[in-house]
């Protein structure tokens, strides 16, 4: 226990120290939320990856989808690396970096407002970000509950408050630079930790081949007669597996906390380098998490079950880890802390900056100096952390399940609303305001409406995962279709020099990226 506590204290000291070191870069708005748009490929790539994968993936999704699909859940990790990382960097990265700098946009709602010349679209986008990032942030806290109870015997309340305080301190002090530097440190821990944990867990079951053999003999209640269902290539339920792939991979293309990493990266070859680094990181971390979760059925006699007999998915991975040696258990705790704090920092910085720059500034306070804007971002950052921590504590100490379901649709609602307007707004000059509004209404309306109908016992779409995936794909289709019948916003999407000539070098770089 002393060793575990010492590891945690060292970890906390390092992340706060980084926050103190990064104070000098957090004096301006651009510096505080984008690091002066001069962040290198390694920091940007690790920042993207650690914001992508948190305790929600390691504890929740890996256990849930590994239990349902067996080793086929590994396809989710592969898709996260190829679609969610590699293609996101190549397709969105160069264009986002150029367009946001040309427009002077520092947040996704500000990009929408300036790209489509609409203050109301900007405010609506900021409110969607604020509303749906709070439950997502609360889910990050909840991913730690069982792990800390198992490793330390500490109450969940203490873990939530402690993590909230530490994250708040280093982000308030150092802003974006403190976040990405800590993301890099935390990312290294995640890479080492996930490899060590997989080796240890499979070793406890007799090694890889023995574990696969044992898993192949587990019967599947949803597909009776399907022998070896959990070791087959696509698992016992390929269609729903596809829904998970779409939600968790395509979703990054429309999430504000993810695409802002492209706003901040330095110009030149950094985007190509970052794409490769981010893809490798995603393959190891996400692929490793889902691969590990695929063996969850081997621990079916040890995990916790609900009164109706269904497994409590959040208990699966902690149960798999419960027999690890103390030193590995300490690494796991720091791994999950790293994943959670990096995601939490990205979420709170995104939400507070959007609320300040897109709602408060110019609407409630007409004249805000640079220093006052940074102060407001810091204050709202603290407010956001407090609200999300309070929400996590409320759900943990009550029987309310509505909040948990709301957390599950956060990705679907956010990316379902933003993906179409963002992607087409980058590449087409024929997009209309009406199309943006329809996409916002469709993404938020479908996911929240389906959740309400589910609570009433008559869901429109049985799986909230599939509902989110449909919202994302629908957004990509709706925006160009609606724009065909409504007036587009005049805008030159190609970069232009003062003389009026198209930047051919940029166009060549973009075409090369798309070909790759």
């Amino acid at each position: 226990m002393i060793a575990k506590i010492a590891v945690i204290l060292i970890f906390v000291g390092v992340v706060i120290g980084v926050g103190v070191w990064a104070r000098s870069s957090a004096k301006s708005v651009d510096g505080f939320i984008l690091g002066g748009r001069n962040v290198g490929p390694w920091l940007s790539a690790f920042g993207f990856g650690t914001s992508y994968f948190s305790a929600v993936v390691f504890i929740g999704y890996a256990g849930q989808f590994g239990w349902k699909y067996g080793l086929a859940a590994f396809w989710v990790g592969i898709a996260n690396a190829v679609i969610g990382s590699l293609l996101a960097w190549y397709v969105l990265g160069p264009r986002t970096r150029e367009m946001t700098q040309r427009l002077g946009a520092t947040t996704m709602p500000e990009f929408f407002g300036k790209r489509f010349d609409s203050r109301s679209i900007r405010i609506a986008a900021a409110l969607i970000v604020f509303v749906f990032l709070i439950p997502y942030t609360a889910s990050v806290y909840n991913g730690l509950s069982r792990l800390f109870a198992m490793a330390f015997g500490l109450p969940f309340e203490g873990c939530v408050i402690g993590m909230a305080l530490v994250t708040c301190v280093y982000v308030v002090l150092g802003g974006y630079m403190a976040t990405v530097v800590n993301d890099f440190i935390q990312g290294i821990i995640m890479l080492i930790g996930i490899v060590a944990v997989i080796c240890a867990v499979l070793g406890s079951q007799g090694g890889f081949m023995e574990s696969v053999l044992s898993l192949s003999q587990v019967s599947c209640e949803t597909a009776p007669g399907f022998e070896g269902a959990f070791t087959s290539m696509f698992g016992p339920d390929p269609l729903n597996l596809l829904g998970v792939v779409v939600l968790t991979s395509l979703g990054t293309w429309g999430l504000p906390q993810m695409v802002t990493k492209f706003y901040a990266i330095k110009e030149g070859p950094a985007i190509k380098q970052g794409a490769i680094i981010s893809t490798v990181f995603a393959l190891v971390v996400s692929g490793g998490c889902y691969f590990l979760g695929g063996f969850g059925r081997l621990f079916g006699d040890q995990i916790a079950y609900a009164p109706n007999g269904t497994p409590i998915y959040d208990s699966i991975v902690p149960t798999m880890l419960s027999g690890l040696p103390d030193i590995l258990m300490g690494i796991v705790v720091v791994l999950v802390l790293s994943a959670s704090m990096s995601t939490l920092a990205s979420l709170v910085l995104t939400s507070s900056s959007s609320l300040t720059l897109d709602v408060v500034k110019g609407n409630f306070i007409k004249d805000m100096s640079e220093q006052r804007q940074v102060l407001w971002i810091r204050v709202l950052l603290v407010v956001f952390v407090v609200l999300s921590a309070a929400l996590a504590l409320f759900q943990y100490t009550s029987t309310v399940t509505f909040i948990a379901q709301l957390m599950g649709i956060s990705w679907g609602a956010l990316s379902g609303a933003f993906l179409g307007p963002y992607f087409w707004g980058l590449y087409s000059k024929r997009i209309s305001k009406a199309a943006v509004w329809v996409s916002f209404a469709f993404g938020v309306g479908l996911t929240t409406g389906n959740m309400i109908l589910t609570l009433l016992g008559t869901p429109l779409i049985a799986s909230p995962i599939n509902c989110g995936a449909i919202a994302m794909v629908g957004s990509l289709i709706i925006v160009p279709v609606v724009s065909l019948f409504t007036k587009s916003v005049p805008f030159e999407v190609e970069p232009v020099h003062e003389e009026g000539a198209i930047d051919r070098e940029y166009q060549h770089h973009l075409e090369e990226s798309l070909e790759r």
Side-chain angles (χ1 to χ4, degrees):
M1 182 60 70
I2 293 175
K4 293 176 185 175
I5 293 174
V7 169
I8 297 297
L9 290 177
I10 292 171
F11 176 78
V12 169
V14 169
V15 297
I16 292 179
V18 170
V20 174
W21 167 81
R23 283 183 304 171
S24 60
S25 65
K27 295 179 180 179
S28 66
V29 172
D30 199 53
F32 191 86
I33 64 178
L34 294 178
R37 297 183 190 264
N38 195 38
V39 181
W42 282 90
L43 294 183
S44 295
F46 271 67
F48 187 92
T50 53
S51 297
Y52 197 166
F53 311 114
S54 67
V56 177
V57 172
F58 186 71
I59 300 296
Y61 279 9
Q64 178 180 351
F65 301 136
W67 181 271
K68 289 183 175 181
Y69 309 117
L71 293 184
F74 184 62
W75 284 110
V76 182
I78 294 175
N80 289 173
V82 176
I83 302 173
S85 296
L86 184 65
L87 288 181
W89 276 76
Y90 272 115
V91 176
L92 300 181
R95 195 69 160 187
T96 297
R97 179 64 177 82
E98 190 278 327
M99 286 275 281
T100 54
Q101 186 169 22
R102 179 149 57 102
L103 290 170
T106 52
T107 66
M108 181 180 272
E110 187 176 11
F111 168 79
F112 286 141
K114 292 184 175 181
R115 167 64 182 84
F116 299 108
D117 191 26
S118 173
R119 175 180 289 186
S120 56
I121 286 178
R122 180 175 178 178
I123 294 173
L127 293 177
I128 292 172
V129 169
F130 182 74
V131 169
F132 287 98
L133 282 190
I134 287 180
Y136 179 35
T137 307
S139 71
V140 175
Y141 292 114
N142 285 337
L144 293 170
S145 58
R146 294 182 182 273
L147 185 65
F148 267 84
M150 178 186 68
F152 292 96
L154 295 176
F156 176 62
E157 294 83 353
C159 300
V160 168
I161 294 171
M163 192 172 76
L165 283 174
V166 173
T167 306
C168 210
V169 168
Y170 83 76
V171 179
V172 166
L173 285 175
Y176 186 81
M177 281 306 298
T179 300
V180 292
V181 172
N182 273 321
D183 286 349
F184 182 77
I185 297 170
Q186 293 159 0
I188 295 294
I189 296 171
M190 290 168 67
L191 288 172
I192 295 172
I194 193 65
V195 173
V197 166
I198 291 172
C199 293
V201 170
L202 295 186
S204 70
Q205 298 296 309
F208 173 68
M209 293 304 299
E210 187 66 29
S211 299
V212 173
L213 179 61
S214 299
L215 188 63
S216 68
Q217 298 169 355
V218 177
S219 60
C220 178
E221 63 277 4
T222 59
F226 186 175
E227 296 182 3
F230 297 112
T231 54
S232 62
M233 178 172 287
F234 298 112
D237 191 359
L239 186 61
N240 282 314
L241 177 61
L242 178 62
V244 177
V245 166
V246 173
L247 181 82
T248 61
S249 301
L250 193 60
T252 61
W253 292 42
L255 292 176
Q257 74 272 19
M258 304 301 297
V259 297
T260 49
K261 300 298 185 292
F262 303 137
Y263 291 35
I265 195 168
K266 64 172 64 175
E267 293 180 310
I271 291 179
K272 288 184 178 181
Q273 297 165 0
I276 296 171
I277 298 166
S278 177
T279 302
V280 173
F281 182 90
L283 189 61
V284 174
V285 174
S286 182
C289 286
Y290 289 110
F291 178 74
L292 176 66
F295 292 96
R297 292 269 178 169
L298 299 182
F299 298 80
D301 59 339
Q302 304 172 38
I303 66 171
Y305 289 86
N308 62 1
T310 59
I312 298 175
Y313 296 122
D314 287 354
S315 72
I316 295 174
V317 171
T319 300
M320 297 173 72
L321 304 176
S322 60
L324 296 181
D326 285 346
I327 183 64
L328 271 181
M329 198 64 236
I331 292 175
V332 169
V333 170
V334 176
L335 182 160
V336 178
L337 257 182
S338 299
S340 301
M341 289 178 66
S342 56
T343 303
L344 179 61
S346 180
L347 293 173
V348 298
L349 189 58
T350 299
S351 184
S352 61
S353 59
S354 291
L355 203 58
T356 300
L357 301 178
D358 303 312
V359 178
V360 175
K361 180 186 175 184
N363 296 299
F364 294 96
I365 301 177
K366 299 297 182 182
D367 185 21
M368 291 184 74
S369 65
E370 188 91 357
Q371 290 182 336
R372 198 174 183 187
Q373 291 176 52
V374 174
L375 177 61
W376 266 90
I377 293 172
R378 285 184 162 125
V379 170
L380 288 176
L381 192 151
V382 175
V383 171
F384 188 84
V385 169
V386 171
L387 285 175
S388 56
L391 188 63
L393 292 173
F394 172 72
Q395 185 194 350
Y396 185 74
T397 56
S398 71
T399 57
V400 175
T401 59
F402 173 83
I403 297 170
Q405 292 171 330
L406 184 60
M407 292 184 300
I409 67 164
S410 293
W411 269 46
L414 284 164
S415 203
F418 295 156
L419 180 54
Y422 183 70
F423 175 79
W424 293 110
L426 288 176
Y427 282 101
S428 175
K429 58 184 177 181
R430 302 182 183 276
I431 304 303
S432 67
K433 293 180 184 179
V436 177
W437 282 114
V438 172
S439 180
F440 284 5
F442 176 75
V444 173
L446 178 63
T447 50
T448 55
N450 191 65
M451 181 193 67
I452 294 171
L453 290 174
T454 301
L455 293 175
L456 297 175
T458 56
L460 180 66
I461 301 171
S463 168
I465 298 293
N466 292 341
C467 180
I470 291 170
M472 294 174 190
V473 175
S475 176
L476 284 172
I477 298 171
I478 284 171
V479 171
V481 171
V482 174
S483 295
L484 288 175
F485 305 100
T486 51
K487 184 180 178 180
S488 61
V489 179
F491 188 81
E492 180 54 63
V493 295
E494 295 294 345
V496 178
H497 289 306
E498 292 181 1
E499 298 83 359
I502 294 177
D503 186 342
R504 299 296 178 186
E505 182 180 353
Y506 174 86
Q507 189 177 34
H508 174 72
H509 172 70
L510 176 61
E511 291 171 352
E512 183 183 36
S513 297
L514 290 174
E515 286 175 1
R516 286 178 180 275

